[in-house]
């Protein structure tokens, strides 16, 4: 049985998605096997457009997968990813001395390579010039609350505070992000890759660039037809492998990262030029978007 385990915080968006009768019915139907949107529309007795909107919402939340199947013309087939969802109301109890948590402002990158469209915003104004990669080297970049570019990367060095002589159990990074389209576009996929200490631990495909309605934290001077907010995503590496939001993405383990070899821990986020979906990236700081956090790193360890 495929199980999705969530903390109470992680379950917020999933619960919002499931709080709709048609989406619950779609999951029930997909329990019997894959279906396309036409079939779901007929079984639910709702218009095709309504079925497509609900399928997209389930796909964005990671509850179903959509795959293009060749045949008499290509068709999209929808498949349920999980048989059970468990929400842990109590957070795992971890002793404070066994955890390292560091929050890094999104403007504190140490290296970057970006291509237009690109730009940086503070919470009160545009930083230097839009669509000019030279802006990414301005001293004011450290005040950035929104960063975007079409392809390339930004790299951060987190201080390495792991005590010597311990066993490292898990490393995770979380950040709010989405694709980058002109103004905004909900259907604009982008393959966003995460590297930790030079190792490509996994890629997440953002479904689009979110706008049209104001983000909870987005300043009023940034108009709503522009990018407003993103998805809160979590990359995690432990002794079993690498994961995005609890879904396994690669076999790289915490030991492969060699975290004690350097005085810092490197995180790179970006979009490869040769990615299948080169749809850019938006990174949100703690004063922009829907989540009041910057780049958050968490390391769990135990005595050897």
């Amino acid at each position: 049985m495929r199980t999705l385990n969530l903390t109470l915080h992680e379950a917020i968006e999933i619960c919002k998605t499931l709080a709709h009768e048609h989406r619950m019915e779609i999951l029930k139907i997909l329990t019997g096997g894959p279906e396309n949107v036409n079939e779901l529309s007929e079984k639910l007795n709702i218009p095709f457009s309504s079925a497509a909107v609900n399928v997209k919402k389930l796909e964005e939340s990671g509850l179903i997968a959509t795959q293009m199947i060749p045949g008499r013309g290509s068709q999209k087939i929808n498949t349920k990813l999980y048989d059970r969802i468990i929400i842990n109301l109590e957070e795992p109890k971890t002793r404070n001395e066994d955890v390292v948590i560091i929050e890094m402002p999104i403007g504190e990158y140490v290296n970057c390579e970006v291509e237009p469209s690109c730009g940086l915003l503070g919470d009160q104004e545009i930083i230097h010039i839009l669509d000019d990669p030279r802006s990414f080297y301005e001293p004011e970049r450290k005040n950035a609350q929104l960063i975007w570019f079409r392809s390339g990367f930004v790299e951060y060095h987190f201080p390495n505070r792991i005590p010597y002589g311990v066993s490292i159990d898990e490393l995770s990074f979380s950040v709010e992000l989405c694709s980058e389209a002109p103004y905004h576009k909900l259907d604009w996929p982008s393959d966003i890759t995460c590297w930790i200490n030079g190792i490509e631990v996994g890629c997440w495909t953002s479904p689009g660039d979110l706008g049209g309605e104001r983000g909870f934290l987005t300043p009023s001077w940034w108009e709503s037809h522009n990018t407003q907010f993103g998805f809160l995503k979590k990359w995690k590496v432990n002794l079993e492998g690498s994961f995005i939001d609890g879904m396994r993405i690669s076999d790289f383990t915490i030991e492969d990262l060699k975290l004690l070899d350097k005085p810092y821990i490197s995180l790179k986020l970006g979009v490869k030029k040769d990615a299948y979906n080169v749809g850019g990236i938006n990174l949100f700081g703690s004063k922009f978007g829907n989540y009041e956090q910057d780049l958050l790193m968490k390391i769990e360890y135990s005595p050897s």
Side-chain angles (χ1 to χ4, degrees):
M1 182 175 287
R2 298 165 298 180
T3 302
L4 177 62
N5 284 285
L6 300 170
T7 65
L8 192 58
H9 179 72
E10 292 168 339
I12 293 174
E13 292 302 318
I14 296 292
C15 289
K16 289 179 182 177
T17 299
L18 294 177
H20 193 288
E21 182 181 356
H22 289 153
R23 292 171 201 149
M24 294 289 281
E25 287 297 320
I26 288 171
L27 289 175
K28 191 182 296 183
I29 293 169
L30 294 181
T31 299
E35 303 270 4
N36 62 35
V37 177
N38 274 323
E39 294 166 334
L40 292 171
S41 172
E42 292 173 3
K43 290 184 178 181
L44 291 170
N45 194 28
I46 61 175
F48 175 89
S49 58
S50 297
V53 168
N54 285 296
V55 163
K56 187 171 183 63
K57 185 67 176 177
L58 288 166
E59 184 182 7
E60 290 174 354
S61 297
L63 295 174
I64 69 173
T66 300
Q67 184 178 9
M68 192 70 73
I69 304 294
R72 292 183 185 173
S74 298
Q75 61 173 325
K76 288 184 176 180
I77 296 296
N78 306 292
T79 306
K80 188 181 69 171
L81 292 176
Y82 300 102
D83 303 304
R84 179 173 63 180
I85 297 173
I86 296 176
I87 300 174
N88 299 294
L89 299 181
E90 185 177 0
E91 296 286 345
K93 288 184 171 60
T94 311
R95 292 182 302 170
N96 290 337
E97 63 267 24
D98 293 347
V99 178
V100 174
I101 298 176
I102 301 173
E103 194 164 4
M104 178 78 72
I106 62 168
E108 292 281 0
Y109 50 85
V110 297
N111 190 19
C112 68
E113 290 181 13
V114 303
E115 293 193 356
S117 58
C118 61
L120 308 93
L121 299 182
D123 61 347
Q124 298 181 7
E125 61 184 358
I126 296 169
I127 296 175
H128 200 54
I129 304 171
L130 297 182
D131 294 331
D132 187 345
R134 294 178 297 179
S135 298
F136 279 69
Y137 298 92
E138 291 291 327
E140 292 78 14
R141 72 179 189 273
K142 295 187 177 183
N143 301 322
Q145 292 294 323
L146 178 63
I147 292 174
W148 70 93
F149 50 90
R150 183 61 187 273
S151 66
F153 67 86
V154 284
E155 180 180 2
Y156 301 85
H157 285 181
F158 284 76
N160 193 335
R161 298 178 186 167
I162 304 170
Y164 294 105
V166 300
S167 296
I168 306 169
D169 302 319
E170 184 174 287
L171 167 70
S172 64
F173 288 99
S174 65
V175 63
E176 184 178 356
L177 43 68
C178 68
S179 310
E180 157 55 18
Y183 298 111
H184 78 276
K185 191 171 183 180
L186 300 183
D187 184 15
W188 189 265
S190 185
D191 298 334
I192 297 173
T193 299
C194 171
W195 294 264
I196 300 175
N197 278 3
I199 292 178
E200 183 179 330
V201 298
C203 172
W204 170 66
T205 301
S206 169
D209 182 354
L210 308 183
E213 60 180 87
R214 185 156 299 281
F216 296 139
L217 302 166
T218 302
S220 59
W221 63 269
W222 188 243
E223 297 180 357
S224 59
H225 63 262
N226 295 316
T227 303
Q228 290 291 312
F229 54 90
F231 305 92
L232 186 64
K233 305 303 291 184
K234 181 179 180 180
W235 277 265
K236 177 176 71 177
V237 185
N238 57 28
L239 296 170
E240 298 176 356
S242 301
F243 304 82
I244 293 180
D245 294 341
M247 183 178 296
R248 189 184 185 91
I249 50 172
S250 74
D251 294 330
F252 289 113
T253 69
I254 197 76
E255 295 174 347
D256 296 317
L257 301 182
K258 302 186 184 305
L259 295 178
L260 293 176
D261 284 3
K262 293 181 179 179
Y264 60 86
I265 296 168
S266 166
L267 169 70
K268 269 174 59 177
L269 292 167
V271 178
K272 298 179 181 177
K273 293 181 182 180
D274 60 353
Y276 183 76
N277 297 297
V278 184
I281 183 174
N282 277 286
L283 289 171
F284 298 82
S286 59
K287 297 179 181 178
F288 226 102
N290 279 353
Y291 300 92
E292 197 173 354
Q293 71 160 71
D294 291 287
L295 272 165
L296 192 66
M297 179 187 76
K298 181 178 180 181
I299 301 172
E300 298 179 24
Y301 60 90
S302 54
S304 296

